[in-house]
Amino acid sequence: MIKFFAGNWKMNKNKEEAATYMRKFKQLVQDTKSEIVIAPPFTLLETVSDACKGSKIKVAAQNIYFESDGAYTGEISSDMVKDFAEYVIIGHSERRKYFAETDEMINKKIKAALLAGLKVIFCLGENLTQREKGDAKKVVEHQLLGGLKDLNELNDIIIAYEPVWAIGTGKNATPEQAEEIHAFIKLQISKFYGKSMANGVKIIYGGSVNPENSKAILKMKNIDGCLPGGASLDPVKFSQIIHSV
Ligand code: PGA
């Protein structure tokens, strides 16, 4: 399977920084076969999407609201994002934690995104307490089924396993820990959607991925790519991660 890399810039960079980054990054990744996505903040969607023209790099928004339009001050709909991006990240743990997003809201957002024709990078993962209690799989299963509720197929969905305890902490899951959960997710998808759907869905890993650990992570059988945050802010580091396959 072709590997998939999405760089989540989170709440970082201004217009000039984004343009400089993109000029450099495009050159660094021009000969890779992997799929590459950059997820800038809303304010930079146009800058990044303009910079991506003529290259294979795609753009993702970091969030959307589930309503299509109306009086929702400060929110952005999937149709608005669609002008600039092909993908959207939904269910990131920072949205769950700081903005109280529930599985139900995430499910609504996934449906709205798919309806608008966006592809979804659907994030899930347990926190440290849940892992230490031995509940990682239970939590992941709950988030997976909650987020995908009522969906009949997963053709435009990429699943990102991001254990919360490994995000921005420098503490990444070992390749084996990640692989165990990825295999579990695949099994669950196979149970609910059938084997061929499960084999077609990409499951990527996120949580302190960097050029030093990416090679070992990407070697695992059920890890189809990565979602780096911090390391994706530097075009050289992100390209090194991409080149580690
Ligand atoms: P990190 O972020 O690579 O900085 O840990 C990953 C993410 O939150 O997507």
Side-chain angles (χ1 to χ4, degrees):
M1 200 186 278
I2 292 189
K3 300 282 187 202
F4 183 98
F5 295 89
N8 178 6
W9 287 2
K10 307 192 180 181
M11 197 175 71
N12 289 290
K13 296 195 191 295
N14 62 24
K15 214 167 157 173
E16 196 186 317
E17 288 163 345
T20 310
Y21 178 110
M22 290 308 295
R23 269 196 299 278
K24 190 160 182 186
F25 183 64
K26 272 202 300 193
Q27 287 177 346
L28 291 167
V29 297
Q30 62 187 356
D31 51 4
T32 165
K33 286 198 185 70
S34 300
E35 290 184 73
I36 304 171
V37 174
I38 297 273
F42 289 127
T43 49
L44 297 173
L45 282 176
E46 185 162 19
T47 307
V48 173
S49 104
D50 284 348
C52 288
K53 286 193 180 120
S55 81
K56 58 174 297 179
I57 307 166
K58 306 281 192 243
V59 185
Q62 296 174 14
N63 180 33
I64 44 140
Y65 190 50
F66 49 75
E67 295 293 348
S68 58
D69 50 51
Y72 302 102
T73 303
E75 291 298 318
I76 309 262
S77 75
S78 359
D79 282 328
M80 291 155 89
V81 154
K82 192 77 207 303
D83 286 340
F84 310 103
E86 211 173 290
Y87 290 85
V88 59
I89 297 175
I90 296 181
H92 192 280
S93 63
E94 284 149 17
R95 302 247 15 124
R96 295 177 190 259
K97 183 175 168 196
Y98 302 126
F99 304 98
E101 286 196 10
T102 61
D103 289 330
E104 197 186 342
M105 282 163 79
I106 289 161
N107 178 244
K108 282 188 186 175
K109 288 185 176 199
I110 292 179
K111 287 177 183 160
L114 294 175
L115 195 66
L118 289 167
K119 293 177 185 151
V120 172
I121 301 170
F122 167 35
C123 302
L124 41 74
E126 81 287 358
N127 64 31
L128 188 59
T129 321
Q130 292 162 334
R131 172 153 286 258
E132 283 173 347
K133 267 171 65 190
D135 285 345
K137 286 184 180 162
K138 203 167 93 187
V139 171
V140 164
E141 180 181 11
H142 195 264
Q143 292 179 346
L144 182 76
L145 299 183
L148 300 179
K149 192 164 170 266
D150 305 327
L151 295 185
N152 299 321
E153 46 91 3
L154 308 177
N155 291 333
D156 288 327
I157 296 190
I158 285 149
I159 293 171
Y161 170 56
E162 298 207 307
V164 181
W165 47 274
I167 295 178
T169 55
K171 213 199 286 175
N172 67 301
T174 63
E176 293 73 23
Q177 280 174 321
E179 170 65 15
E180 188 190 357
I181 303 293
H182 280 233
F184 173 74
I185 292 171
K186 190 155 266 187
L187 193 72
Q188 295 307 306
I189 294 177
S190 174
K191 205 159 103 188
F192 292 98
Y193 291 91
K195 212 171 171 163
S196 89
M197 187 74 75
N199 288 334
V201 171
K202 281 190 163 71
I203 308 173
I204 63 175
Y205 171 79
S208 299
V209 175
N210 60 44
E212 285 73 50
N213 60 29
S214 53
K215 200 172 187 144
I217 293 169
L218 289 160
K219 266 203 193 125
M220 305 311 289
K221 185 167 166 260
N222 290 295
I223 301 188
D224 305 311
C226 303
L227 178 53
S232 78
L233 292 173
D234 175 348
V236 174
K237 282 192 189 156
F238 189 24
S239 73
Q240 286 169 341
I241 292 172
I242 293 166
H243 287 302
S244 61
V245 279

